[in-house]
Amino acid sequence: MPNHLTHGIVLLLTICQLSCRKADENPPSADQVMLKLVDWQGFQEVINQKRGQMVVVDIWSTSCTPCMKEFPHLVALSQRKDVQCISLNVDYVGLNNKPPSSYRDHVLAFLKQQQADQVHNLLATIADQEVYEHFEIDSIPAVVVYDSRGQIVRRLTDSSVGGSDGVSYSKHVVPLIDSL
């Protein structure tokens, strides 16, 4: 009896080792939503990596209802082959007792709910106001469109588009992309 038990344990351990090895060999699936924390330099590196392609950057926060309302349209836009989509979350407001990493799980849960696996998802590690200054915007929601040379073509904010509805993918972003 002990012999059978020993063989069973050895067999079980072998199966576990093979399973673990196979899991390590397989990269994450393409539909897995990823979120990377970046400072301003890290963001610029992402933009430089996408040079040669049109890029749409959606600057948003989970505390911004209009941002979250428009987010599914960024996800839909990410399905197009002629544009690269980046979401830049600015939940971090610069408090020392609440570092950028403390927002990660909440932001990632929203991104997963939105199925944002084709979007390059970033969480800013600099305070929201500093992001606004870098982009020369006054508020969010904001969408910044880059051309294939990595140059900003247009900054779309509620104040720049006018009207009471604010920034809209269907009214502002998609028509702009289609015209470029």
Side-chain angles (χ1 to χ4, degrees):
M1 194 71 164
N3 209 9
H4 292 300
L5 185 59
T6 303
H7 288 296
I9 290 172
V10 169
L11 180 62
L12 184 60
L13 288 173
T14 304
I15 291 170
C16 286
Q17 281 181 323
L18 290 173
S19 296
C20 291
R21 190 178 309 139
K22 274 203 176 243
D24 290 342
E25 291 170 359
N26 295 329
S29 63
D31 63 352
Q32 184 176 357
V33 177
M34 305 294 282
L35 177 63
K36 181 178 179 181
L37 279 69
V38 295
D39 58 11
W40 183 250
Q41 182 179 344
F43 172 78
Q44 291 298 324
E45 290 170 8
V46 171
I47 291 296
N48 287 335
Q49 290 169 358
K50 303 213 178 276
R51 199 163 279 190
Q53 304 167 71
M54 189 176 345
V55 177
V56 171
V57 179
D58 191 313
I59 306 163
W60 66 284
S61 170
T62 58
S63 64
C64 170
T65 302
C67 297
M68 294 177 67
K69 179 182 165 206
E70 283 296 313
F71 199 90
H73 301 287
L74 174 71
V75 173
L77 185 64
S78 73
Q79 301 304 311
R80 287 179 51 165
K81 300 297 179 205
D82 61 334
V83 64
Q84 294 291 307
C85 295
I86 298 173
S87 83
L88 180 60
N89 177 275
V90 293
D91 276 7
Y92 176 58
V93 295
L95 299 175
N96 289 335
N97 64 344
K98 193 150 168 110
S101 59
S102 67
Y103 297 91
R104 187 179 194 291
D105 291 343
H106 180 67
V107 171
L108 190 56
F110 174 77
L111 293 170
K112 286 180 178 181
Q113 177 191 21
Q114 296 298 313
Q115 300 177 342
D117 56 306
Q118 297 300 312
V119 178
H120 197 133
N121 299 297
L122 306 172
L123 191 155
T125 60
I126 58 175
D128 57 349
Q129 290 300 317
E130 193 174 338
V131 172
Y132 299 171
E133 289 171 19
H134 280 296
F135 278 110
E136 300 175 9
I137 59 174
D138 54 2
S139 66
I140 54 172
V143 176
V144 180
V145 178
Y146 288 79
D147 64 17
S148 60
R149 297 170 311 187
Q151 302 299 310
I152 293 177
V153 175
R154 183 116 188 253
R155 293 170 185 86
L156 299 164
T157 63
D158 289 353
S159 61
S160 74
V161 299
S164 61
D165 293 339
V167 176
S168 162
Y169 273 82
S170 61
K171 291 180 184 174
H172 306 108
V173 179
V174 173
L176 174 62
I177 291 167
D178 289 342
S179 72
L180 297 175

